[in-house]
Amino acid sequence: MQKPTLLFLLVLGMLWQPVASLAASDRVALVIGNASYRHATQLSNPINDATLIADKLTDLGFRVHLVRDAGFEKFTAALRKFETDLQSASTGMFYYAGHGMQFREENFLLATDAAIIDQQDVVTSGKNLNEIIGMMETHVPLSLVFIDACRNNPFADNLRQKLAGRARALGLSRGLAVPEQTANSLVAFATKPNEVALDGDTHNSPFTTALAKHIVTPNIEVSTMLKRVTRDVLEATGHQQRPEVVASMSSEFYFFHNSALVAPVVTYDNDVEREAAATLALKEAVRNNTVIGYRTILEQFPKTAASDVADSLLKELQQEKTSGSSRASQEQTELTVSAQTLLDRMSEASRTGAPLTVASTAPDVIEQSLSLGVEGYKKIQTALNMLGHDAGTEDGVFGAKSRSALREFQIATKIEETGYVDQTALLQLIKVFEETPKVLDGLWQLQVHRFNPHPEDPYQVNARTHLSSADLRFRDGQFFLLDWTNLAGASRQDDRNPFANFRGVVSQDKKLTLRLEADYLFGKRKVRTVEIRGTLPEFVAYGSTLGFTGPRLERNGPKDEMWVRVELKRKPPEKTN
C-alpha cells in the first residue's frame, strides 16, 4: 500500500518541534554486574545480566551508567556519580547482580576485591544496601531497586564456619536479610529473605531473564509487572525460587507507557482509523523519545505514515546515542581547575620553544625561559600547598620556602631535584592532579613511632623508633582497620592488638582525628591511649606520606622525653587482574 502523502505531512506537522530539542531523560539508572571475584569462584552470569538490563533501560530512555566488575574503589566512584545524576532526575533505578550477604540484619553488596576474613572486613568489602536506598530517597521522588545478589556465597559460608558460635547473633544467615520498609521506593530481590537465588544454567539468571522480558511491556504498572516476573521465575526454577518485593509507593510507575497503544491488538475497520491510531501513538512516543517507543510503532503500525516517521526518528536517536558514546570514550580525564590551569600554562610554555628541550641548559635558565610571571608562580605555589608541600603564602614570590616545597615534590615524585620549575615538574604536577582523586577513599598505611625531640639525647633514641603499623581503608569519612603489626609487643612475645580501640575520622573540612594505643617500650609493656589531631591537605597523592606529632608519652628528665608521631601513607589503588 502506498503511504498517503497527506497523512505523512499531517503527522510531521503535528510533530513540528525538533526531537533533538527534547530535554534529556529525567530517569537515571546505575547498573552493576560483579562476576570476577578475586577470592571466590567466578560467577557465570552477572556481567551478562547487567548488560542485558542496561540495554533494556537504555531503550526505555533511561540515562544508564553500566559498571562491570566493580572493586571497592570503582563501586564507590560509581555511587558518587549516581548520586550526582540523581539530583536532576525524577526517578532513580539501581540494579545489582553479583555476590551479596547479610550481616547484623543488613545487606551488603560485595565488591570484586572483597576479602572477608573476619567480621570487621564485611563493611570494608561491600556496600550497605540500606545506605544506597537512603541516598536515592534523599534525591528523587521515586526509587527503584532490583537486587539479583542472593547467589550461593562463599564469603558468608566461610565467615559462618569461622564464627559458628556467633553466626546467628551476627546475622550471618544464608541469602539476604529481610528488607526494610522504604519511603516511596520499590525494592525487588531475586528470592525470599534467607534463601539462595540461582545463577542460572543459561546466559542469564532466572530473575533477570524474567525482568528483561516484562520491563519493556507497554502500559504495565511496575507492581503488576513484578507479579509476572515472579510467575516466570517460579516456572523456570520449579518453584525453588520466589522473588521478594518490598514497596511503599504513593503513585503508579510505568517503565514503558503509551496510552495510545491498545493491547490486545485491535483490528481497525479502515486505513484512516489505523493511521489515526498510529499518529496518536507516535505523538506520545515522540514525547518520551525512546528506542523502545519507536520500535513499538514500527511493530504495531507497519506500513503507515507514522511508522515512516518513527523509523526516521529511531535512526536519528540511535545515531545520537552512538556518537555520544564515541565522544565520551574520547574524552580525557577531567582535571581539577588548578591542574587545568597548569596544563594551559604548560601548553603556552611549550610554545615558547627550544630552550625547554636543551638538556644542558641550567635549571634557573630553563625556569626563566618559561616566563611564568607572578600569576604563574602563584598557581604553582597553590598546587604545591594543595598537595601538602608547604610553599608558604601564595603571593607569586618563589622564595626559599617555595623552592623547598618544590624540592619535596620532586623527591616524592622521583624526578630530578633542582628546586627550579621546568617542563618535567609542570607535567608531573599535572599528572599527580589527574591521577589523584579529590576524595580520600582507598587504602592507607599507618605507622606509629616514638621519638625524643631534644637534640642532646642521652639514650640515643632521637631517631624515630617504629612501634606498630596498620593497614587501613578510608571511606565515608573514617578509617577502617584491615590488618596490624605490633613490633613493640613482638619483642616480648605479646600479640596484643594496639589498634583494638582504634578510631580515625576526617571531617568535611579535612580535620583529622586519630585515637589509638601507643605500646611504646620494647621488652617491657607500657601502653598509653593517645589522640592525634591534624589537618589533611586538599589533595593527597598516591605514595605520599603525611606526618603528625601526637602528645608526650613520658618525661624522665629535661632532655629525656618520649613523644608519639604517626605517619599516614596513601597507597595506590589495588590492581585488577
Side-chain angles (χ1 to χ4, degrees):
M1 180 186 74
Q2 186 177 4
K3 309 290 189 302
T5 304
L6 182 60
L7 270 175
F8 185 83
L9 293 174
L10 178 62
V11 169
L12 289 177
M14 295 174 69
L15 307 171
W16 62 271
Q17 68 273 26
V19 174
S21 68
L22 294 173
S25 172
D26 61 353
R27 306 197 299 182
V28 300
L30 172 60
V31 178
I32 296 179
N34 281 353
S36 301
Y37 285 87
R38 294 187 192 175
H39 305 293
T41 303
Q42 180 168 322
L43 294 170
S44 301
N45 290 332
I47 299 297
N48 302 333
D49 293 339
T51 303
L52 176 61
I53 294 300
D55 289 345
K56 296 294 183 182
L57 292 175
T58 300
D59 288 350
L60 289 165
F62 279 75
R63 284 185 286 138
V64 180
H65 183 201
L66 171 62
V67 180
R68 301 180 178 92
D69 283 332
F72 194 88
E73 304 299 330
K74 192 174 180 180
F75 211 143
T76 301
L79 287 172
R80 284 207 175 89
K81 182 182 185 304
F82 187 40
E83 184 171 13
T84 300
D85 292 342
L86 288 174
Q87 294 174 14
S88 60
S90 65
T91 302
M93 175 169 161
F94 175 71
Y95 171 93
Y96 174 84
H99 276 314
M101 66 180 290
Q102 61 170 297
F103 178 68
R104 299 189 189 280
E105 298 183 349
E106 291 191 299
N107 295 315
F108 289 85
L109 311 179
L110 300 183
T112 54
D113 52 4
I116 300 176
I117 300 171
D118 209 336
Q119 55 181 305
Q120 65 186 2
D121 299 327
V122 176
V123 295
T124 60
S125 293
K127 294 297 181 180
N128 187 313
L129 179 58
N130 289 339
E131 292 179 3
I132 295 174
I133 297 171
M135 176 269 289
M136 294 174 67
E137 292 176 345
T138 300
H139 295 294
V140 288
L142 178 62
S143 303
L144 304 169
V145 178
F146 296 84
I147 305 297
D148 197 352
C150 314
R151 295 161 167 88
N152 202 16
N153 189 334
F155 298 108
D157 292 343
N158 294 338
L159 196 55
R160 276 196 301 272
Q161 292 174 9
K162 183 174 182 179
L163 303 173
R166 292 181 291 154
R168 183 179 297 275
L170 292 173
L172 287 169
S173 300
R174 299 173 76 223
L176 295 181
V178 178
E180 293 183 354
Q181 291 293 324
T182 56
N184 209 30
S185 299
L186 180 145
V187 185
F189 292 84
T191 193
K192 295 190 298 183
N194 303 317
E195 296 291 336
V196 175
L198 302 177
D199 197 31
D201 298 326
T202 59
H203 196 65
N204 297 103
S205 76
F207 177 73
T208 295
T209 299
L211 179 62
K213 172 185 175 183
H214 294 292
I215 204 171
V216 295
T217 304
N219 303 327
I220 177 173
E221 205 277 328
V222 64
S223 300
T224 302
M225 184 267 289
L226 284 169
K227 291 176 183 175
R228 299 184 185 184
V229 170
T230 298
R231 179 196 63 201
D232 286 5
V233 171
L234 287 169
E235 291 179 358
T237 63
H239 290 258
Q240 295 181 53
Q241 179 179 330
R242 175 185 288 273
E244 180 84 3
V245 178
V246 176
S248 176
M249 298 171 61
S250 58
S251 59
E252 295 182 342
F253 177 79
Y254 298 83
F255 279 98
F256 176 26
H257 187 268
N258 189 326
S259 56
L261 297 175
V262 182
V265 177
V266 173
T267 301
Y268 298 99
D269 292 336
N270 53 59
D271 288 343
V272 175
E273 285 186 4
R274 192 162 175 271
E275 289 284 0
T279 301
L280 191 61
L282 180 61
K283 283 184 67 177
E284 190 152 350
V286 169
R287 182 175 63 82
N288 295 325
N289 196 33
T290 65
V291 170
I292 195 71
Y294 294 136
R295 281 180 182 165
T296 303
I297 300 297
L298 296 175
E299 292 169 1
Q300 295 201 14
F301 299 100
K303 298 181 180 180
T304 61
S307 70
D308 285 349
V309 177
D311 183 55
S312 176
L313 295 178
L314 175 60
K315 291 175 181 176
E316 187 177 313
L317 180 59
Q318 290 175 323
Q319 185 175 6
E320 285 178 8
K321 291 182 180 295
T322 301
S323 61
S325 299
S326 176
R327 284 194 303 272
S329 65
Q330 294 172 4
E331 288 178 356
Q332 294 181 347
T333 303
E334 183 179 352
L335 306 181
T336 65
V337 173
S338 297
Q340 185 62 59
T341 302
L342 285 173
L343 184 57
D344 293 341
R345 177 64 237 169
M346 190 68 250
S347 298
E348 184 179 339
S350 297
R351 287 194 295 272
T352 63
L356 295 176
T357 61
V358 179
S360 59
T361 306
D364 57 335
V365 176
I366 294 176
E367 181 176 304
Q368 291 174 15
S369 72
L370 296 176
S371 303
L372 294 168
V374 173
E375 291 304 313
Y377 282 120
K378 279 184 180 180
K379 292 180 174 75
I380 295 171
Q381 288 171 325
T382 300
L384 291 170
N385 283 333
M386 290 171 72
L387 291 169
H389 304 289
D390 185 6
T393 305
E394 297 158 12
D395 54 6
V397 179
F398 216 74
K401 195 166 188 177
S402 296
R403 298 210 178 273
S404 177
L406 180 59
R407 285 192 183 93
E408 288 180 8
F409 172 77
Q410 290 169 329
I411 292 170
T413 54
K414 296 180 174 59
I415 60 177
E416 184 182 3
E417 177 197 350
T418 64
Y420 288 92
V421 182
D422 58 11
Q423 190 178 40
T424 302
L426 286 175
L427 288 171
Q428 194 65 35
L429 277 169
I430 294 164
K431 181 181 178 183
V432 168
F433 275 98
E434 286 177 327
E435 295 179 350
T436 304
K438 199 167 184 178
V439 296
L440 302 173
D441 291 18
L443 299 176
W444 294 73
Q445 184 182 66
L446 173 68
Q447 289 191 358
V448 182
H449 300 260
R450 75 178 186 203
F451 73 103
N452 186 340
H454 295 283
E456 296 180 33
D457 180 14
Y459 295 100
Q460 300 298 307
V461 293
N462 194 49
R464 290 198 305 271
T465 303
H466 189 184
L467 302 174
S468 59
S469 60
D471 291 328
L472 309 173
R473 185 188 293 278
F474 184 85
R475 74 176 186 90
D476 298 333
Q478 59 183 313
F479 289 96
F480 294 91
L481 181 67
L482 301 178
D483 199 4
W484 57 272
T485 302
N486 186 357
L487 299 176
S491 70
R492 55 181 185 273
Q493 288 77 51
D494 181 357
D495 61 353
R496 175 184 172 84
N497 178 5
F499 301 95
N501 298 314
F502 170 80
R503 176 170 172 76
V505 295
V506 178
S507 63
Q508 290 185 347
D509 57 352
K510 299 295 180 71
K511 300 296 183 184
L512 168 72
T513 302
L514 297 175
R515 184 180 177 85
L516 53 91
E517 288 184 358
D519 188 346
Y520 61 93
L521 289 184
F522 288 73
K524 177 182 177 182
R525 185 170 182 273
K526 208 163 189 180
V527 178
R528 179 178 170 185
T529 300
V530 297
E531 186 168 281
I532 300 166
R533 296 178 179 271
T535 302
L536 298 180
E538 189 168 350
F539 282 82
V540 183
Y542 293 124
S544 61
T545 300
L546 307 174
F548 302 93
T549 299
R552 184 170 58 193
L553 298 171
E554 67 178 37
R555 185 175 189 270
N556 299 315
K559 299 177 183 178
D560 182 10
E561 296 183 352
M562 286 188 187
W563 291 65
V564 66
R565 178 178 174 83
V566 298
E567 291 184 350
L568 268 175
K569 180 177 182 180
R570 186 169 197 184
K571 300 171 72 174
E574 297 169 302
K575 294 181 179 179
T576 56
N577 295 331

